[in-house]
Amino acid sequence: MTAAPRPRLRFADAARPALADTALRRDLRDGAAAVRARRAAAVAETPDWAELRAAGRALKDRTLLNLDACLERLERAVTAAGGTVHWAVGAAEAARTVARLAGGAAVAMPAAPVLEEIGAADALAAAGSTVHRTGADAEFPAVRTAVTGVDVMVAETGAMVLLEWAGDARRCLAVPDALITVAGIEQVVPDRADLEVLLRSLPRSAGERLTPAVSVWTGVAPGDGPAAFHLVLVDNGRTRALADEIGRAALRCVGCAACLDVCPVYERTGPGPYGAPPGGPIGAVRVPLQRGVGSAATASLPFASTLCGACADVCPVEIDIPEVLVHLRGEVVDARRGRPVPTPELAVMRAAAWTMGDPQRYEAALRGGVRWARLLSRGGRIRRLPGRFGAWTDARDLPAPPARSFRVWWRDRAGAR
Amino acid sequence: MTSRDRVLRRIRDALGPARGTPVPVPRDYRRHLGAEYARADVIALFTERIAAHGTPVRHVGAGGLPTALAAALWAREAARIAVPAGLPAGWLAELEGVAVVPDGPGVDPAAPDGPDAVVTGCAAAVAETGTIVLDGGRGQGRRALTLCPRLHVCVVHADQIAGTVAEAAARLPPGRPQTWLTGPAVARGPARERSPHGAAALEVLVVEDWL
Ligand code: SF4
């Protein structure tokens, strides 16, 4: 399977330019703080927030454990309403399908994470379509075809639900003759009643009582809007995530972006280093879950976190992102254990296990280590560790250890009694 | 094997024995506003919430609606307006010097030379969020009609105002295209500042029969 935009660099390397860009960091910080405040207000006036989260979690779990039946039901409903459903295993196949359906016509395409994920713009351009990326400031182009994402699909009725801030998608649903909508297979929910949960929890989690424009459409509506509707359902590794019993929870995501705005790592790096939208905590689990941890880039993502837990606290569908991160770290380590030449971390960890396995060896090592460390320190901080350990101090200082270790202090104290 | 079969097969393989496990959904969240909300409080809440977005909102009696509509259009110097089929003719009875164009496939309200304003009814409204919902039903027109960037005057009957999103969703017939509008569009800058854009110039007239 090929995904168009792939992260090629390890997270730490990819993050370097963003970290050096102080203007970007200030924008990210101010933006995140503003959204956090709005979100806190929207949630504070929702007395049943805990019940909404529990319902959101359960309805998405219900979807995922019955995903095949849910999608078949969705397909029947969309077809009955005059739409056509297409399926794609990989990102490239999905992008080719979109390009084929557009047939070289100019298209309006408001931004959506799934469209970026499959590389829709490049595939459309390669097939001869001019792509107008609509935005709040751009004039709406005079085109007859539109390509959009979607937020929630209802299997029971075949309804598509799209929440937006800027109002461009609204035009795409009203003006062109043909509409091509791309969705991840996990974006379905079983019943109409599930909307009364997500239409409250998702916008509030994003900082609004309700998103400025919510469009709901079912197949085609005679005399109103596009006369042709195509829905492209994309797997692109979602079934790989589904097979992981712990990682599966990440497919509950409804894309509110709340976890991004509370993440101390994302606040400093922005979306770039994650290699695929949306980035942030959910991106750090979704990318390795969907693509595997075989490359250095995807394997580095589960480590791009301090495990502070802020993301799990805000998530409207109760995804325990730190739990999935830790699980994926284990998977990365396991994948490397089998290698003939151990990675430096593994060699260090093995040496540490040998040293710490014996109290005498451990204390001797501590005494030696303290002496070396104090030689390296300036003003109580170690700015750079020597040799291969230097990478660890690239982004942080290390406090110099105290002259006496805790163990020595404890023994002296016990002896003084 | 088609891609459809391959995706479905992958899902079944991924779930293994867990496939088809029923998951009960706890639906003990609030579907309605608290019992302390009398009907008049629901209407007041709608007014407060929609005004919080900076949307002008006025209350009129049924008899006062034609005058209020004429005043709203006059205040914005609207000389040419587009209206959907099925708009009660009496609503426009007080207009003077305003050309009225019936909506139809040839009318493009978003075009620079399009109408100065559109006037519609609505399918429902939500007090909790300050939202109006259009579904292409009587007196609402095609979705393209309400994309007029200059002015959209929306008439809401007080009995169309639901307390919550859940109540409004339950009132709407499934299958119709719906547009839920809550305040002006938001620019996607870091601070997500609200900025009027598109059909953001909304004005709401709430019709209360006892006024
Ligand atoms: S994972 Fe993040 S973006 Fe997804 S629903 Fe949870 S908080 Fe929102």
PDB file of all heavy atoms in Angstrom, chain A residues 241-276:
ATOM      1  N   ALA A 241      -4.969  -1.076  11.839  1.00  0.00           N
ATOM      2  CA  ALA A 241      -5.202  -0.551  13.188  1.00  0.00           C
ATOM      3  C   ALA A 241      -6.311  -1.340  13.886  1.00  0.00           C
ATOM      4  O   ALA A 241      -6.254  -1.608  15.090  1.00  0.00           O
ATOM      5  CB  ALA A 241      -5.576   0.930  13.111  1.00  0.00           C
ATOM      6  N   LEU A 242      -7.320  -1.736  13.129  1.00  0.00           N
ATOM      7  CA  LEU A 242      -8.460  -2.455  13.704  1.00  0.00           C
ATOM      8  C   LEU A 242      -8.036  -3.811  14.261  1.00  0.00           C
ATOM      9  O   LEU A 242      -8.611  -4.310  15.233  1.00  0.00           O
ATOM     10  CB  LEU A 242      -9.530  -2.653  12.619  1.00  0.00           C
ATOM     11  CG  LEU A 242     -10.896  -3.168  13.042  1.00  0.00           C
ATOM     12  CD1 LEU A 242     -11.604  -2.140  13.920  1.00  0.00           C
ATOM     13  CD2 LEU A 242     -11.760  -3.481  11.818  1.00  0.00           C
ATOM     14  N   ALA A 243      -6.999  -4.398  13.645  1.00  0.00           N
ATOM     15  CA  ALA A 243      -6.547  -5.713  14.088  1.00  0.00           C
ATOM     16  C   ALA A 243      -5.798  -5.642  15.417  1.00  0.00           C
ATOM     17  O   ALA A 243      -5.579  -6.660  16.061  1.00  0.00           O
ATOM     18  CB  ALA A 243      -5.647  -6.337  13.024  1.00  0.00           C
ATOM     19  N   ASP A 244      -5.399  -4.444  15.824  1.00  0.00           N
ATOM     20  CA  ASP A 244      -4.650  -4.263  17.074  1.00  0.00           C
ATOM     21  C   ASP A 244      -5.661  -3.995  18.194  1.00  0.00           C
ATOM     22  O   ASP A 244      -6.310  -2.960  18.223  1.00  0.00           O
ATOM     23  CB  ASP A 244      -3.713  -3.060  16.896  1.00  0.00           C
ATOM     24  CG  ASP A 244      -2.823  -2.833  18.109  1.00  0.00           C
ATOM     25  OD1 ASP A 244      -3.304  -3.031  19.246  1.00  0.00           O
ATOM     26  OD2 ASP A 244      -1.658  -2.445  17.914  1.00  0.00           O
ATOM     27  N   GLU A 245      -5.772  -4.936  19.120  1.00  0.00           N
ATOM     28  CA  GLU A 245      -6.854  -4.833  20.110  1.00  0.00           C
ATOM     29  C   GLU A 245      -6.751  -3.579  20.975  1.00  0.00           C
ATOM     30  O   GLU A 245      -7.773  -3.049  21.414  1.00  0.00           O
ATOM     31  CB  GLU A 245      -6.898  -6.084  20.992  1.00  0.00           C
ATOM     32  CG  GLU A 245      -7.589  -7.227  20.283  1.00  0.00           C
ATOM     33  CD  GLU A 245      -7.581  -8.511  21.078  1.00  0.00           C
ATOM     34  OE1 GLU A 245      -7.709  -8.436  22.317  1.00  0.00           O
ATOM     35  OE2 GLU A 245      -7.433  -9.579  20.450  1.00  0.00           O
ATOM     36  N   ILE A 246      -5.529  -3.117  21.230  1.00  0.00           N
ATOM     37  CA  ILE A 246      -5.384  -1.885  22.028  1.00  0.00           C
ATOM     38  C   ILE A 246      -5.448  -0.666  21.101  1.00  0.00           C
ATOM     39  O   ILE A 246      -6.127   0.311  21.385  1.00  0.00           O
ATOM     40  CB  ILE A 246      -4.063  -1.911  22.820  1.00  0.00           C
ATOM     41  CG1 ILE A 246      -4.139  -3.034  23.859  1.00  0.00           C
ATOM     42  CG2 ILE A 246      -3.795  -0.569  23.495  1.00  0.00           C
ATOM     43  CD1 ILE A 246      -2.855  -3.289  24.604  1.00  0.00           C
ATOM     44  N   GLY A 247      -4.766  -0.769  19.970  1.00  0.00           N
ATOM     45  CA  GLY A 247      -4.712   0.362  19.040  1.00  0.00           C
ATOM     46  C   GLY A 247      -6.050   0.689  18.402  1.00  0.00           C
ATOM     47  O   GLY A 247      -6.308   1.838  18.016  1.00  0.00           O
ATOM     48  N   ARG A 248      -6.919  -0.310  18.310  1.00  0.00           N
ATOM     49  CA  ARG A 248      -8.250  -0.156  17.721  1.00  0.00           C
ATOM     50  C   ARG A 248      -8.990   1.079  18.243  1.00  0.00           C
ATOM     51  O   ARG A 248      -9.699   1.754  17.509  1.00  0.00           O
ATOM     52  CB  ARG A 248      -9.011  -1.428  18.102  1.00  0.00           C
ATOM     53  CG  ARG A 248     -10.348  -1.610  17.538  1.00  0.00           C
ATOM     54  CD  ARG A 248     -10.924  -2.934  18.060  1.00  0.00           C
ATOM     55  NE  ARG A 248     -10.303  -4.099  17.429  1.00  0.00           N
ATOM     56  CZ  ARG A 248     -10.425  -5.357  17.894  1.00  0.00           C
ATOM     57  NH1 ARG A 248     -11.123  -5.575  18.993  1.00  0.00           N
ATOM     58  NH2 ARG A 248      -9.851  -6.349  17.260  1.00  0.00           N
ATOM     59  N   ALA A 249      -8.783   1.385  19.521  1.00  0.00           N
ATOM     60  CA  ALA A 249      -9.497   2.517  20.141  1.00  0.00           C
ATOM     61  C   ALA A 249      -9.227   3.829  19.396  1.00  0.00           C
ATOM     62  O   ALA A 249     -10.077   4.723  19.371  1.00  0.00           O
ATOM     63  CB  ALA A 249      -9.080   2.654  21.600  1.00  0.00           C
ATOM     64  N   ALA A 250      -8.053   3.927  18.758  1.00  0.00           N
ATOM     65  CA  ALA A 250      -7.704   5.176  18.068  1.00  0.00           C
ATOM     66  C   ALA A 250      -8.621   5.437  16.878  1.00  0.00           C
ATOM     67  O   ALA A 250      -8.727   6.564  16.407  1.00  0.00           O
ATOM     68  CB  ALA A 250      -6.243   5.130  17.609  1.00  0.00           C
ATOM     69  N   LEU A 251      -9.294   4.386  16.395  1.00  0.00           N
ATOM     70  CA  LEU A 251     -10.215   4.563  15.266  1.00  0.00           C
ATOM     71  C   LEU A 251     -11.550   5.182  15.701  1.00  0.00           C
ATOM     72  O   LEU A 251     -12.387   5.485  14.868  1.00  0.00           O
ATOM     73  CB  LEU A 251     -10.479   3.222  14.575  1.00  0.00           C
ATOM     74  CG  LEU A 251      -9.277   2.587  13.865  1.00  0.00           C
ATOM     75  CD1 LEU A 251      -9.649   1.209  13.338  1.00  0.00           C
ATOM     76  CD2 LEU A 251      -8.806   3.461  12.716  1.00  0.00           C
ATOM     77  N   ARG A 252     -11.714   5.376  17.016  1.00  0.00           N
ATOM     78  CA  ARG A 252     -12.921   6.076  17.471  1.00  0.00           C
ATOM     79  C   ARG A 252     -12.864   7.557  17.120  1.00  0.00           C
ATOM     80  O   ARG A 252     -13.873   8.244  17.151  1.00  0.00           O
ATOM     81  CB  ARG A 252     -12.998   6.029  19.003  1.00  0.00           C
ATOM     82  CG  ARG A 252     -13.449   4.740  19.586  1.00  0.00           C
ATOM     83  CD  ARG A 252     -13.591   4.976  21.102  1.00  0.00           C
ATOM     84  NE  ARG A 252     -13.231   3.802  21.835  1.00  0.00           N
ATOM     85  CZ  ARG A 252     -12.490   3.802  22.948  1.00  0.00           C
ATOM     86  NH1 ARG A 252     -12.031   4.928  23.460  1.00  0.00           N
ATOM     87  NH2 ARG A 252     -12.221   2.687  23.544  1.00  0.00           N
ATOM     88  N   CYS A 253     -11.669   8.059  16.838  1.00  0.00           N
ATOM     89  CA  CYS A 253     -11.451   9.504  16.676  1.00  0.00           C
ATOM     90  C   CYS A 253     -12.478  10.156  15.758  1.00  0.00           C
ATOM     91  O   CYS A 253     -12.752   9.671  14.674  1.00  0.00           O
ATOM     92  CB  CYS A 253     -10.048   9.746  16.122  1.00  0.00           C
ATOM     93  SG  CYS A 253      -9.717  11.475  15.786  1.00  0.00           S
ATOM     94  N   VAL A 254     -13.047  11.268  16.218  1.00  0.00           N
ATOM     95  CA  VAL A 254     -13.999  12.012  15.395  1.00  0.00           C
ATOM     96  C   VAL A 254     -13.388  13.315  14.878  1.00  0.00           C
ATOM     97  O   VAL A 254     -14.079  14.137  14.292  1.00  0.00           O
ATOM     98  CB  VAL A 254     -15.315  12.292  16.158  1.00  0.00           C
ATOM     99  CG1 VAL A 254     -16.084  11.004  16.358  1.00  0.00           C
ATOM    100  CG2 VAL A 254     -15.052  12.982  17.493  1.00  0.00           C
ATOM    101  N   GLY A 255     -12.087  13.517  15.139  1.00  0.00           N
ATOM    102  CA  GLY A 255     -11.379  14.628  14.502  1.00  0.00           C
ATOM    103  C   GLY A 255     -11.673  16.009  15.061  1.00  0.00           C
ATOM    104  O   GLY A 255     -11.662  16.990  14.323  1.00  0.00           O
ATOM    105  N   CYS A 256     -11.912  16.115  16.378  1.00  0.00           N
ATOM    106  CA  CYS A 256     -12.250  17.427  16.943  1.00  0.00           C
ATOM    107  C   CYS A 256     -11.006  18.295  17.132  1.00  0.00           C
ATOM    108  O   CYS A 256     -11.110  19.501  17.308  1.00  0.00           O
ATOM    109  CB  CYS A 256     -12.941  17.245  18.285  1.00  0.00           C
ATOM    110  SG  CYS A 256     -11.857  16.573  19.549  1.00  0.00           S
ATOM    111  N   ALA A 257      -9.821  17.675  17.139  1.00  0.00           N
ATOM    112  CA  ALA A 257      -8.534  18.367  17.298  1.00  0.00           C
ATOM    113  C   ALA A 257      -8.278  18.863  18.716  1.00  0.00           C
ATOM    114  O   ALA A 257      -7.300  19.564  18.962  1.00  0.00           O
ATOM    115  CB  ALA A 257      -8.374  19.528  16.315  1.00  0.00           C
ATOM    116  N   ALA A 258      -9.117  18.485  19.685  1.00  0.00           N
ATOM    117  CA  ALA A 258      -8.890  18.932  21.067  1.00  0.00           C
ATOM    118  C   ALA A 258      -7.555  18.415  21.600  1.00  0.00           C
ATOM    119  O   ALA A 258      -6.850  19.125  22.314  1.00  0.00           O
ATOM    120  CB  ALA A 258     -10.031  18.457  21.970  1.00  0.00           C
ATOM    121  N   CYS A 259      -7.187  17.188  21.234  1.00  0.00           N
ATOM    122  CA  CYS A 259      -5.947  16.625  21.778  1.00  0.00           C
ATOM    123  C   CYS A 259      -4.724  17.375  21.232  1.00  0.00           C
ATOM    124  O   CYS A 259      -3.694  17.450  21.895  1.00  0.00           O
ATOM    125  CB  CYS A 259      -5.850  15.133  21.494  1.00  0.00           C
ATOM    126  SG  CYS A 259      -5.884  14.675  19.760  1.00  0.00           S
ATOM    127  N   LEU A 260      -4.844  17.950  20.041  1.00  0.00           N
ATOM    128  CA  LEU A 260      -3.733  18.722  19.482  1.00  0.00           C
ATOM    129  C   LEU A 260      -3.518  19.996  20.307  1.00  0.00           C
ATOM    130  O   LEU A 260      -2.392  20.361  20.632  1.00  0.00           O
ATOM    131  CB  LEU A 260      -4.007  19.104  18.033  1.00  0.00           C
ATOM    132  CG  LEU A 260      -3.754  18.046  16.965  1.00  0.00           C
ATOM    133  CD1 LEU A 260      -4.656  16.844  17.136  1.00  0.00           C
ATOM    134  CD2 LEU A 260      -3.921  18.626  15.583  1.00  0.00           C
ATOM    135  N   ASP A 261      -4.627  20.650  20.629  1.00  0.00           N
ATOM    136  CA  ASP A 261      -4.521  21.946  21.291  1.00  0.00           C
ATOM    137  C   ASP A 261      -4.079  21.851  22.753  1.00  0.00           C
ATOM    138  O   ASP A 261      -3.733  22.858  23.344  1.00  0.00           O
ATOM    139  CB  ASP A 261      -5.862  22.687  21.190  1.00  0.00           C
ATOM    140  CG  ASP A 261      -6.154  23.120  19.755  1.00  0.00           C
ATOM    141  OD1 ASP A 261      -5.209  23.548  19.083  1.00  0.00           O
ATOM    142  OD2 ASP A 261      -7.308  23.013  19.321  1.00  0.00           O
ATOM    143  N   VAL A 262      -4.122  20.659  23.342  1.00  0.00           N
ATOM    144  CA  VAL A 262      -3.621  20.529  24.718  1.00  0.00           C
ATOM    145  C   VAL A 262      -2.240  19.882  24.769  1.00  0.00           C
ATOM    146  O   VAL A 262      -1.671  19.728  25.848  1.00  0.00           O
ATOM    147  CB  VAL A 262      -4.575  19.701  25.620  1.00  0.00           C
ATOM    148  CG1 VAL A 262      -5.926  20.387  25.741  1.00  0.00           C
ATOM    149  CG2 VAL A 262      -4.731  18.270  25.135  1.00  0.00           C
ATOM    150  N   CYS A 263      -1.691  19.502  23.613  1.00  0.00           N
ATOM    151  CA  CYS A 263      -0.446  18.720  23.624  1.00  0.00           C
ATOM    152  C   CYS A 263       0.777  19.622  23.722  1.00  0.00           C
ATOM    153  O   CYS A 263       0.986  20.485  22.873  1.00  0.00           O
ATOM    154  CB  CYS A 263      -0.357  17.868  22.364  1.00  0.00           C
ATOM    155  SG  CYS A 263       1.163  16.894  22.307  1.00  0.00           S
ATOM    156  N   PRO A 264       1.622  19.423  24.759  1.00  0.00           N
ATOM    157  CA  PRO A 264       2.806  20.279  24.888  1.00  0.00           C
ATOM    158  C   PRO A 264       3.822  20.049  23.774  1.00  0.00           C
ATOM    159  O   PRO A 264       4.594  20.963  23.452  1.00  0.00           O
ATOM    160  CB  PRO A 264       3.398  19.880  26.252  1.00  0.00           C
ATOM    161  CG  PRO A 264       2.821  18.540  26.558  1.00  0.00           C
ATOM    162  CD  PRO A 264       1.492  18.459  25.861  1.00  0.00           C
ATOM    163  N   VAL A 265       3.834  18.879  23.172  1.00  0.00           N
ATOM    164  CA  VAL A 265       4.769  18.628  22.068  1.00  0.00           C
ATOM    165  C   VAL A 265       4.255  19.316  20.802  1.00  0.00           C
ATOM    166  O   VAL A 265       4.967  20.081  20.152  1.00  0.00           O
ATOM    167  CB  VAL A 265       4.954  17.105  21.829  1.00  0.00           C
ATOM    168  CG1 VAL A 265       5.837  16.865  20.610  1.00  0.00           C
ATOM    169  CG2 VAL A 265       5.552  16.449  23.066  1.00  0.00           C
ATOM    170  N   TYR A 266       2.968  19.081  20.486  1.00  0.00           N
ATOM    171  CA  TYR A 266       2.377  19.686  19.287  1.00  0.00           C
ATOM    172  C   TYR A 266       2.445  21.202  19.346  1.00  0.00           C
ATOM    173  O   TYR A 266       2.667  21.864  18.337  1.00  0.00           O
ATOM    174  CB  TYR A 266       0.922  19.226  19.139  1.00  0.00           C
ATOM    175  CG  TYR A 266       0.235  19.771  17.910  1.00  0.00           C
ATOM    176  CD1 TYR A 266       0.355  19.131  16.684  1.00  0.00           C
ATOM    177  CD2 TYR A 266      -0.515  20.942  17.980  1.00  0.00           C
ATOM    178  CE1 TYR A 266      -0.262  19.637  15.561  1.00  0.00           C
ATOM    179  CE2 TYR A 266      -1.132  21.459  16.856  1.00  0.00           C
ATOM    180  CZ  TYR A 266      -0.997  20.802  15.645  1.00  0.00           C
ATOM    181  OH  TYR A 266      -1.609  21.314  14.531  1.00  0.00           O
ATOM    182  N   GLU A 267       2.270  21.756  20.541  1.00  0.00           N
ATOM    183  CA  GLU A 267       2.283  23.212  20.687  1.00  0.00           C
ATOM    184  C   GLU A 267       3.622  23.791  20.262  1.00  0.00           C
ATOM    185  O   GLU A 267       3.714  24.957  19.894  1.00  0.00           O
ATOM    186  CB  GLU A 267       1.955  23.581  22.134  1.00  0.00           C
ATOM    187  CG  GLU A 267       1.768  25.070  22.339  1.00  0.00           C
ATOM    188  CD  GLU A 267       1.286  25.417  23.743  1.00  0.00           C
ATOM    189  OE1 GLU A 267       0.490  24.650  24.303  1.00  0.00           O
ATOM    190  OE2 GLU A 267       1.726  26.449  24.269  1.00  0.00           O
ATOM    191  N   ARG A 268       4.664  22.987  20.313  1.00  0.00           N
ATOM    192  CA  ARG A 268       5.987  23.483  19.932  1.00  0.00           C
ATOM    193  C   ARG A 268       6.373  23.113  18.509  1.00  0.00           C
ATOM    194  O   ARG A 268       7.155  23.819  17.878  1.00  0.00           O
ATOM    195  CB  ARG A 268       7.031  22.967  20.920  1.00  0.00           C
ATOM    196  CG  ARG A 268       6.964  23.733  22.228  1.00  0.00           C
ATOM    197  CD  ARG A 268       7.657  23.031  23.371  1.00  0.00           C
ATOM    198  NE  ARG A 268       7.495  23.801  24.605  1.00  0.00           N
ATOM    199  CZ  ARG A 268       6.409  23.780  25.367  1.00  0.00           C
ATOM    200  NH1 ARG A 268       5.378  23.026  25.020  1.00  0.00           N
ATOM    201  NH2 ARG A 268       6.325  24.516  26.466  1.00  0.00           N
ATOM    202  N   THR A 269       5.840  22.011  17.990  1.00  0.00           N
ATOM    203  CA  THR A 269       6.299  21.559  16.673  1.00  0.00           C
ATOM    204  C   THR A 269       5.297  21.824  15.560  1.00  0.00           C
ATOM    205  O   THR A 269       5.676  21.861  14.390  1.00  0.00           O
ATOM    206  CB  THR A 269       6.562  20.047  16.673  1.00  0.00           C
ATOM    207  OG1 THR A 269       5.317  19.362  16.882  1.00  0.00           O
ATOM    208  CG2 THR A 269       7.541  19.656  17.751  1.00  0.00           C
ATOM    209  N   GLY A 270       4.008  21.942  15.881  1.00  0.00           N
ATOM    210  CA  GLY A 270       3.006  22.054  14.821  1.00  0.00           C
ATOM    211  C   GLY A 270       2.823  20.719  14.124  1.00  0.00           C
ATOM    212  O   GLY A 270       3.417  19.705  14.530  1.00  0.00           O
ATOM    213  N   PRO A 271       2.015  20.699  13.061  1.00  0.00           N
ATOM    214  CA  PRO A 271       1.653  19.427  12.438  1.00  0.00           C
ATOM    215  C   PRO A 271       2.757  18.804  11.577  1.00  0.00           C
ATOM    216  O   PRO A 271       2.768  17.599  11.354  1.00  0.00           O
ATOM    217  CB  PRO A 271       0.444  19.790  11.570  1.00  0.00           C
ATOM    218  CG  PRO A 271       0.582  21.250  11.305  1.00  0.00           C
ATOM    219  CD  PRO A 271       1.291  21.840  12.477  1.00  0.00           C
ATOM    220  N   GLY A 272       3.693  19.623  11.080  1.00  0.00           N
ATOM    221  CA  GLY A 272       4.666  19.150  10.094  1.00  0.00           C
ATOM    222  C   GLY A 272       5.379  17.851  10.414  1.00  0.00           C
ATOM    223  O   GLY A 272       5.316  16.903   9.627  1.00  0.00           O
ATOM    224  N   PRO A 273       6.066  17.764  11.560  1.00  0.00           N
ATOM    225  CA  PRO A 273       6.927  16.601  11.798  1.00  0.00           C
ATOM    226  C   PRO A 273       6.190  15.266  11.909  1.00  0.00           C
ATOM    227  O   PRO A 273       6.821  14.220  11.860  1.00  0.00           O
ATOM    228  CB  PRO A 273       7.609  16.926  13.139  1.00  0.00           C
ATOM    229  CG  PRO A 273       7.367  18.359  13.386  1.00  0.00           C
ATOM    230  CD  PRO A 273       6.157  18.755  12.634  1.00  0.00           C
ATOM    231  N   TYR A 274       4.858  15.293  12.052  1.00  0.00           N
ATOM    232  CA  TYR A 274       4.135  14.024  12.186  1.00  0.00           C
ATOM    233  C   TYR A 274       3.992  13.308  10.846  1.00  0.00           C
ATOM    234  O   TYR A 274       3.614  12.146  10.799  1.00  0.00           O
ATOM    235  CB  TYR A 274       2.762  14.251  12.815  1.00  0.00           C
ATOM    236  CG  TYR A 274       2.836  14.749  14.245  1.00  0.00           C
ATOM    237  CD1 TYR A 274       2.905  16.101  14.532  1.00  0.00           C
ATOM    238  CD2 TYR A 274       2.849  13.847  15.308  1.00  0.00           C
ATOM    239  CE1 TYR A 274       2.986  16.565  15.832  1.00  0.00           C
ATOM    240  CE2 TYR A 274       2.925  14.293  16.615  1.00  0.00           C
ATOM    241  CZ  TYR A 274       2.988  15.658  16.876  1.00  0.00           C
ATOM    242  OH  TYR A 274       3.062  16.097  18.163  1.00  0.00           O
ATOM    243  N   GLY A 275       4.257  14.041   9.751  1.00  0.00           N
ATOM    244  CA  GLY A 275       4.314  13.375   8.459  1.00  0.00           C
ATOM    245  C   GLY A 275       2.980  13.186   7.774  1.00  0.00           C
ATOM    246  O   GLY A 275       2.923  12.830   6.616  1.00  0.00           O
ATOM    247  N   ALA A 276       1.874  13.355   8.473  1.00  0.00           N
ATOM    248  CA  ALA A 276       0.557  13.204   7.855  1.00  0.00           C
ATOM    249  C   ALA A 276      -0.427  13.960   8.716  1.00  0.00           C
ATOM    250  O   ALA A 276      -0.235  14.074   9.911  1.00  0.00           O
ATOM    251  CB  ALA A 276       0.172  11.727   7.784  1.00  0.00           C
TER     252      ALA A 276
END
